[in-house]
Amino acid sequence: MAHVISTAQSSHSLTARIRATVDGLIDSWAKAREFQRTYNELDALSEHELSDIGVRRSDIADIARQHVYG
């Protein structure tokens, strides 16, 4: 039985995996920035403003996480 290894397809597969990894990193960084932006905006609100929108200060991280990661 003979085995054939195609180097052209292997390099394409490696390139595709590297690109997918880079795309994943970019997406992760964007989500981390969005989480931090959301967290900072909510954290900057006063207790009165948070109360007006029905948010407790202790819930800010959970709300930001839900907003970004679903």
Coordinates of all heavy atoms in Angstrom, one line a residue:
M1 N 0.8 -1.2 0.0 CA 0.0 0.0 0.0 C 0.9 1.2 0.0 O 1.9 1.3 0.7 CB -0.9 0.0 1.2 CG -1.7 1.2 1.3 SD -3.1 1.4 2.4 CE -3.0 0.1 3.6
A2 N 0.5 2.2 -0.8 CA 1.3 3.5 -0.9 C 0.6 4.6 -0.3 O -0.6 4.7 -0.3 CB 1.6 3.8 -2.4
H3 N 1.4 5.5 0.3 CA 0.8 6.7 1.0 C 1.4 7.9 0.2 O 2.6 8.0 0.0 CB 1.2 6.8 2.4 CG 0.7 5.7 3.3 ND1 -0.6 5.7 3.7 CD2 1.2 4.6 3.7 CE1 -0.9 4.7 4.4 NE2 0.2 3.9 4.4
V4 N 0.5 8.9 -0.1 CA 0.9 10.1 -0.7 C 0.7 11.3 0.2 O -0.4 11.4 0.8 CB 0.1 10.3 -2.0 CG1 0.4 11.6 -2.7 CG2 0.3 9.1 -3.0
I5 N 1.7 12.1 0.3 CA 1.6 13.3 1.2 C 1.6 14.5 0.2 O 2.6 14.7 -0.5 CB 2.7 13.4 2.2 CG1 2.6 12.2 3.1 CG2 2.6 14.7 3.0 CD1 3.8 12.1 4.1
S6 N 0.6 15.3 0.3 CA 0.5 16.5 -0.5 C 1.0 17.7 0.3 O 0.4 18.1 1.2 CB -0.9 16.7 -1.0 OG -1.0 18.0 -1.7
T7 N 2.2 18.2 0.0 CA 2.7 19.4 0.7 C 2.0 20.6 0.4 O 1.9 21.5 1.2 CB 4.2 19.6 0.4 OG1 4.4 19.7 -1.0 CG2 5.0 18.4 0.9
A8 N 1.4 20.8 -0.8 CA 0.7 22.0 -1.1 C -0.6 22.1 -0.3 O -0.9 23.2 0.3 CB 0.3 22.0 -2.6
Q9 N -1.3 21.0 -0.1 CA -2.5 21.1 0.8 C -2.1 21.2 2.2 O -2.8 21.9 3.0 CB -3.3 19.8 0.6 CG -4.7 19.9 1.1 CD -5.6 18.8 0.7 OE1 -5.1 17.7 0.2 NE2 -6.9 18.9 0.8
S10 N -1.0 20.7 2.7 CA -0.6 20.8 4.1 C -0.3 22.2 4.4 O -0.6 22.7 5.4 CB 0.6 19.9 4.3 OG 0.2 18.5 4.2
S11 N 0.5 22.9 3.5 CA 0.8 24.3 3.8 C -0.4 25.2 3.7 O -0.5 26.1 4.5 CB 1.9 24.8 2.8 OG 1.3 24.9 1.5
H12 N -1.4 24.9 2.9 CA -2.6 25.6 2.9 C -3.4 25.4 4.2 O -3.9 26.4 4.8 CB -3.5 25.2 1.7 CG -4.8 25.9 1.7 ND1 -5.0 27.2 1.4 CD2 -6.1 25.4 1.9 CE1 -6.3 27.5 1.5 NE2 -6.9 26.5 1.8
S13 N -3.4 24.2 4.7 CA -4.0 23.9 5.9 C -3.3 24.6 7.1 O -4.0 25.2 7.9 CB -4.0 22.4 6.1 OG -4.6 22.1 7.4
L14 N -2.0 24.7 7.1 CA -1.3 25.4 8.1 C -1.6 26.9 8.0 O -1.8 27.5 9.1 CB 0.2 25.1 7.9 CG 1.1 25.9 8.9 CD1 0.8 25.5 10.4 CD2 2.6 25.6 8.6
T15 N -1.6 27.4 6.8 CA -1.9 28.8 6.7 C -3.3 29.2 7.2 O -3.5 30.2 7.8 CB -1.7 29.2 5.2 OG1 -0.4 28.9 4.7 CG2 -2.0 30.7 5.0
A16 N -4.2 28.3 6.8 CA -5.6 28.5 7.3 C -5.7 28.4 8.8 O -6.4 29.2 9.4 CB -6.5 27.5 6.6
R17 N -5.0 27.5 9.4 CA -5.0 27.4 10.9 C -4.3 28.6 11.5 O -4.8 29.1 12.6 CB -4.3 26.1 11.3 CG -5.1 24.9 11.0 CD -4.5 23.7 11.6 NE -3.2 23.5 10.9 CZ -2.4 22.5 11.1 NH1 -2.7 21.6 12.0 NH2 -1.3 22.4 10.4
I18 N -3.3 29.1 11.0 CA -2.6 30.3 11.5 C -3.6 31.5 11.4 O -3.7 32.3 12.3 CB -1.3 30.6 10.8 CG1 -0.2 29.5 11.2 CG2 -0.8 32.0 11.1 CD1 1.0 29.6 10.4
R19 N -4.2 31.6 10.2 CA -5.1 32.7 10.0 C -6.3 32.6 11.0 O -6.7 33.7 11.6 CB -5.6 32.8 8.6 CG -6.5 33.9 8.3 CD -5.8 35.2 8.3 NE -6.7 36.3 8.3 CZ -6.4 37.5 8.6 NH1 -5.1 37.8 9.0 NH2 -7.2 38.5 8.6
A20 N -6.8 31.5 11.2 CA -7.9 31.3 12.2 C -7.5 31.6 13.6 O -8.2 32.2 14.4 CB -8.4 29.8 12.1
T21 N -6.2 31.3 13.9 CA -5.7 31.6 15.3 C -5.6 33.1 15.4 O -6.0 33.7 16.4 CB -4.4 31.0 15.5 OG1 -4.5 29.6 15.4 CG2 -3.8 31.3 16.8
V22 N -5.1 33.8 14.4 CA -4.9 35.3 14.4 C -6.3 35.9 14.5 O -6.5 36.8 15.3 CB -4.1 35.8 13.2 CG1 -4.2 37.3 13.1 CG2 -2.7 35.3 13.3
D23 N -7.3 35.4 13.7 CA -8.6 36.0 13.8 C -9.2 35.8 15.1 O -9.9 36.7 15.6 CB -9.5 35.3 12.7 CG -9.1 35.8 11.3 OD1 -8.4 36.8 11.1 OD2 -9.6 35.1 10.3
G24 N -9.0 34.6 15.7 CA -9.5 34.4 17.1 C -8.9 35.3 18.1 O -9.6 35.8 19.0
L25 N -7.6 35.6 18.0 CA -7.0 36.5 18.9 C -7.5 37.9 18.7 O -7.8 38.6 19.7 CB -5.4 36.6 18.7 CG -4.7 35.4 19.2 CD1 -3.2 35.4 18.7 CD2 -4.7 35.4 20.7
I26 N -7.7 38.4 17.5 CA -8.2 39.7 17.2 C -9.6 39.8 17.8 O -10.0 40.8 18.5 CB -8.2 40.0 15.7 CG1 -6.8 40.2 15.2 CG2 -9.1 41.2 15.4 CD1 -6.6 40.2 13.7
D27 N -10.4 38.8 17.6 CA -11.8 38.8 18.2 C -11.8 38.8 19.7 O -12.5 39.6 20.4 CB -12.6 37.5 17.7 CG -14.0 37.5 18.2 OD1 -14.7 38.5 17.9 OD2 -14.4 36.5 18.8
S28 N -10.9 38.0 20.3 CA -10.8 38.0 21.8 C -10.4 39.4 22.3 O -10.9 39.9 23.3 CB -9.7 37.0 22.2 OG -10.2 35.7 22.0
W29 N -9.4 40.1 21.7 CA -9.0 41.4 22.1 C -10.1 42.4 21.9 O -10.3 43.3 22.8 CB -7.8 41.8 21.3 CG -6.5 41.1 21.6 CD1 -6.2 40.5 22.8 CD2 -5.4 40.8 20.8 NE1 -5.0 39.9 22.7 CE2 -4.4 40.1 21.5 CE3 -5.1 41.2 19.5 CZ2 -3.2 39.7 20.9 CZ3 -3.9 40.8 18.9 CH2 -3.0 40.0 19.7
A30 N -10.9 42.3 20.9 CA -12.0 43.2 20.7 C -13.0 43.0 21.7 O -13.6 44.0 22.3 CB -12.6 43.0 19.3
K31 N -13.3 41.8 22.1 CA -14.3 41.5 23.1 C -13.8 42.0 24.5 O -14.6 42.5 25.3 CB -14.6 40.0 23.2 CG -15.5 39.6 22.0 CD -15.9 38.2 22.1 CE -16.8 37.8 21.0 NZ -17.1 36.4 21.0
A32 N -12.5 41.8 24.8 CA -11.9 42.3 26.0 C -12.0 43.8 26.1 O -12.4 44.3 27.2 CB -10.5 41.8 26.2
R33 N -11.8 44.5 25.0 CA -11.9 46.0 25.0 C -13.3 46.4 25.2 O -13.6 47.4 26.0 CB -11.3 46.6 23.7 CG -9.8 46.6 23.6 CD -9.3 47.4 22.4 NE -10.0 47.1 21.2 CZ -9.6 46.2 20.3 NH1 -8.5 45.5 20.6 NH2 -10.2 45.9 19.2
E34 N -14.3 45.7 24.6 CA -15.7 46.0 24.7 C -16.1 45.8 26.2 O -16.9 46.6 26.7 CB -16.5 45.2 23.7 CG -18.0 45.5 23.8 CD -18.4 46.9 23.4 OE1 -17.6 47.6 22.8 OE2 -19.6 47.3 23.8
F35 N -15.7 44.7 26.8 CA -16.0 44.4 28.2 C -15.5 45.5 29.0 O -16.3 46.1 29.9 CB -15.4 43.1 28.6 CG -15.6 42.9 30.1 CD1 -16.7 42.3 30.6 CD2 -14.5 43.2 30.9 CE1 -16.8 42.1 32.0 CE2 -14.6 43.0 32.3 CZ -15.8 42.5 32.8
Q36 N -14.3 45.9 28.9 CA -13.7 47.0 29.7 C -14.4 48.3 29.5 O -14.6 49.0 30.5 CB -12.2 47.1 29.4 CG -11.4 47.9 30.5 CD -11.5 47.2 31.9 OE1 -11.2 46.0 32.0 NE2 -12.0 47.9 32.9
R37 N -14.7 48.6 28.3 CA -15.4 49.9 28.0 C -16.8 49.9 28.7 O -17.2 50.9 29.4 CB -15.6 50.1 26.5 CG -16.2 51.5 26.1 CD -16.4 51.6 24.6 NE -17.5 50.7 24.1 CZ -18.8 51.0 24.3 NH1 -19.2 52.0 24.8 NH2 -19.6 50.1 23.8
T38 N -17.5 48.8 28.6 CA -18.9 48.7 29.2 C -18.7 48.8 30.7 O -19.5 49.5 31.4 CB -19.5 47.4 28.8 OG1 -19.6 47.3 27.3 CG2 -20.9 47.3 29.4
Y39 N -17.8 48.0 31.3 CA -17.6 48.0 32.7 C -17.3 49.4 33.2 O -17.8 49.9 34.2 CB -16.5 47.1 33.1 CG -16.2 47.0 34.6 CD1 -16.9 46.0 35.3 CD2 -15.4 47.9 35.2 CE1 -16.7 46.0 36.7 CE2 -15.2 47.8 36.6 CZ -15.8 46.9 37.3 OH -15.6 46.8 38.7
N40 N -16.3 50.1 32.5 CA -15.9 51.5 32.9 C -17.1 52.5 32.8 O -17.2 53.3 33.7 CB -14.7 51.9 32.1 CG -13.5 51.2 32.4 OD1 -13.3 50.5 33.4 ND2 -12.5 51.3 31.5
E41 N -17.9 52.4 31.8 CA -19.0 53.3 31.7 C -20.0 53.1 32.8 O -20.5 54.1 33.4 CB -19.7 53.1 30.3 CG -18.9 53.7 29.2 CD -19.6 53.6 27.8 OE1 -20.8 53.3 27.8 OE2 -18.9 53.9 26.8
L42 N -20.3 51.8 33.1 CA -21.3 51.6 34.2 C -20.7 52.0 35.5 O -21.3 52.5 36.4 CB -21.7 50.1 34.2 CG -22.6 49.7 33.0 CD1 -22.8 48.2 33.1 CD2 -24.0 50.4 33.1
D43 N -19.4 51.7 35.7 CA -18.7 52.0 37.0 C -18.6 53.5 37.3 O -18.6 53.9 38.4 CB -17.3 51.3 37.0 CG -16.7 51.3 38.4 OD1 -17.4 50.9 39.4 OD2 -15.5 51.7 38.5
A44 N -18.6 54.3 36.2 CA -18.5 55.7 36.3 C -19.8 56.3 36.8 O -19.8 57.5 37.2 CB -18.0 56.3 35.0
L45 N -20.9 55.6 36.7 CA -22.2 56.1 37.1 C -22.3 56.2 38.6 O -21.7 55.4 39.4 CB -23.4 55.3 36.6 CG -23.5 55.1 35.1 CD1 -24.6 54.1 34.7 CD2 -23.8 56.5 34.4
S46 N -23.1 57.2 39.1 CA -23.3 57.4 40.5 C -24.2 56.3 41.0 O -24.9 55.6 40.2 CB -23.8 58.8 40.8 OG -25.2 58.9 40.3
E47 N -24.3 56.2 42.3 CA -25.3 55.2 42.9 C -26.7 55.6 42.5 O -27.5 54.7 42.2 CB -25.1 55.2 44.5 CG -23.8 54.6 45.0 CD -23.7 53.2 44.6 OE1 -24.6 52.4 44.5 OE2 -22.5 52.8 44.4
H48 N -27.0 56.9 42.5 CA -28.3 57.3 42.1 C -28.6 56.9 40.6 O -29.7 56.4 40.3 CB -28.5 58.8 42.3 CG -29.8 59.4 41.9 ND1 -30.9 59.2 42.7 CD2 -30.2 60.1 40.9 CE1 -32.0 59.7 42.2 NE2 -31.6 60.3 41.0
E49 N -27.7 57.1 39.7 CA -27.9 56.8 38.3 C -28.0 55.3 38.1 O -28.9 54.8 37.4 CB -26.7 57.3 37.5 CG -26.7 58.8 37.4 CD -25.4 59.3 36.8 OE1 -24.3 58.8 37.1 OE2 -25.4 60.3 36.0
L50 N -27.2 54.5 38.9 CA -27.4 53.1 38.8 C -28.7 52.6 39.3 O -29.4 51.8 38.7 CB -26.3 52.4 39.6 CG -24.9 52.4 39.0 CD1 -23.8 51.9 40.0 CD2 -24.8 51.7 37.7
S51 N -29.2 53.2 40.4 CA -30.5 52.9 40.9 C -31.6 53.2 39.9 O -32.6 52.5 39.8 CB -30.7 53.7 42.2 OG -32.0 53.4 42.8
D52 N -31.4 54.3 39.2 CA -32.5 54.7 38.2 C -32.6 53.7 37.1 O -33.7 53.5 36.6 CB -32.1 56.1 37.6 CG -32.4 57.3 38.5 OD1 -33.1 57.1 39.5 OD2 -31.9 58.4 38.1
I53 N -31.5 53.0 36.8 CA -31.6 52.0 35.7 C -31.7 50.6 36.3 O -31.7 49.6 35.5 CB -30.4 52.1 34.7 CG1 -29.1 51.9 35.4 CG2 -30.4 53.4 34.0 CD1 -27.9 51.8 34.5
G54 N -31.8 50.5 37.6 CA -32.1 49.2 38.2 C -30.8 48.3 38.3 O -31.0 47.1 38.2
V55 N -29.7 48.9 38.5 CA -28.4 48.1 38.5 C -27.7 48.3 39.8 O -27.6 49.5 40.3 CB -27.5 48.5 37.3 CG1 -26.1 47.9 37.5 CG2 -28.1 48.2 36.0
R56 N -27.3 47.2 40.4 CA -26.5 47.3 41.6 C -25.0 47.3 41.2 O -24.6 46.7 40.2 CB -26.7 46.1 42.6 CG -28.1 46.1 43.1 CD -28.4 44.9 44.0 NE -28.1 43.7 43.1 CZ -28.2 42.5 43.6 NH1 -28.5 42.2 44.8 NH2 -27.9 41.5 42.7
R57 N -24.2 48.1 42.0 CA -22.8 48.2 41.6 C -22.1 46.8 41.6 O -21.3 46.5 40.7 CB -22.1 49.1 42.6 CG -20.7 49.4 42.2 CD -20.1 50.6 42.8 NE -20.8 51.9 42.6 CZ -20.7 52.6 41.5 NH1 -19.9 52.2 40.5 NH2 -21.4 53.7 41.4
S58 N -22.6 45.9 42.4 CA -22.0 44.5 42.4 C -22.4 43.7 41.2 O -21.7 42.7 40.9 CB -22.5 43.8 43.7 OG -23.9 43.6 43.7
D59 N -23.3 44.2 40.4 CA -23.7 43.5 39.2 C -23.0 44.0 37.9 O -23.3 43.4 36.8 CB -25.2 43.6 39.0 CG -26.0 42.9 40.1 OD1 -25.5 41.9 40.6 OD2 -27.2 43.2 40.4
I60 N -22.2 45.0 38.0 CA -21.7 45.6 36.8 C -20.8 44.7 36.0 O -21.0 44.6 34.8 CB -20.8 46.9 37.2 CG1 -21.8 48.0 37.7 CG2 -20.0 47.4 36.1 CD1 -21.1 49.2 38.2
A61 N -20.0 43.9 36.7 CA -19.1 42.9 35.9 C -20.0 41.9 35.2 O -19.7 41.6 34.0 CB -18.1 42.3 36.8
D62 N -21.0 41.4 35.9 CA -21.9 40.4 35.2 C -22.6 41.0 34.0 O -22.8 40.3 33.0 CB -22.9 39.9 36.2 CG -22.3 39.0 37.3 OD1 -21.2 38.4 37.0 OD2 -22.8 38.9 38.4
I63 N -23.1 42.2 34.2 CA -23.8 42.9 33.1 C -22.9 43.1 31.9 O -23.2 42.8 30.8 CB -24.4 44.2 33.6 CG1 -25.6 43.9 34.6 CG2 -24.9 45.1 32.4 CD1 -26.0 45.1 35.3
A64 N -21.7 43.6 32.2 CA -20.7 43.8 31.1 C -20.4 42.5 30.4 O -20.3 42.4 29.2 CB -19.4 44.4 31.6
R65 N -20.2 41.4 31.2 CA -19.9 40.1 30.6 C -21.0 39.6 29.7 O -20.8 39.1 28.6 CB -19.6 39.1 31.7 CG -19.0 37.8 31.3 CD -18.6 36.9 32.5 NE -17.6 37.6 33.3 CZ -17.8 38.0 34.5 NH1 -19.0 38.0 35.1 NH2 -16.8 38.6 35.2
Q66 N -22.2 39.7 30.2 CA -23.4 39.3 29.5 C -23.5 40.1 28.2 O -23.9 39.6 27.1 CB -24.7 39.5 30.3 CG -25.9 39.0 29.6 CD -26.0 37.5 29.4 OE1 -25.4 36.8 30.1 NE2 -26.7 37.2 28.3
H67 N -23.3 41.4 28.3 CA -23.4 42.3 27.1 C -22.4 41.8 26.0 O -22.7 41.8 24.8 CB -23.0 43.7 27.5 CG -22.8 44.6 26.3 ND1 -23.9 45.0 25.5 CD2 -21.7 45.2 25.8 CE1 -23.4 45.8 24.6 NE2 -22.1 45.9 24.7
V68 N -21.2 41.5 26.4 CA -20.1 41.1 25.4 C -20.2 39.7 25.0 O -20.1 39.4 23.8 CB -18.7 41.5 26.0 CG1 -17.6 41.0 25.0 CG2 -18.6 43.0 26.2
Y69 N -20.3 38.8 25.9 CA -20.2 37.3 25.6 C -21.5 36.6 25.5 O -21.5 35.4 25.1 CB -19.3 36.7 26.7 CG -17.9 37.3 26.7 CD1 -17.5 38.1 27.7 CD2 -17.0 37.0 25.7 CE1 -16.2 38.7 27.8 CE2 -15.7 37.5 25.8 CZ -15.3 38.4 26.8 OH -14.1 38.9 26.8
G70 N -22.6 37.3 25.8 CA -23.9 36.7 25.6 C -24.3 35.8 26.7 O -23.8 35.4 27.7

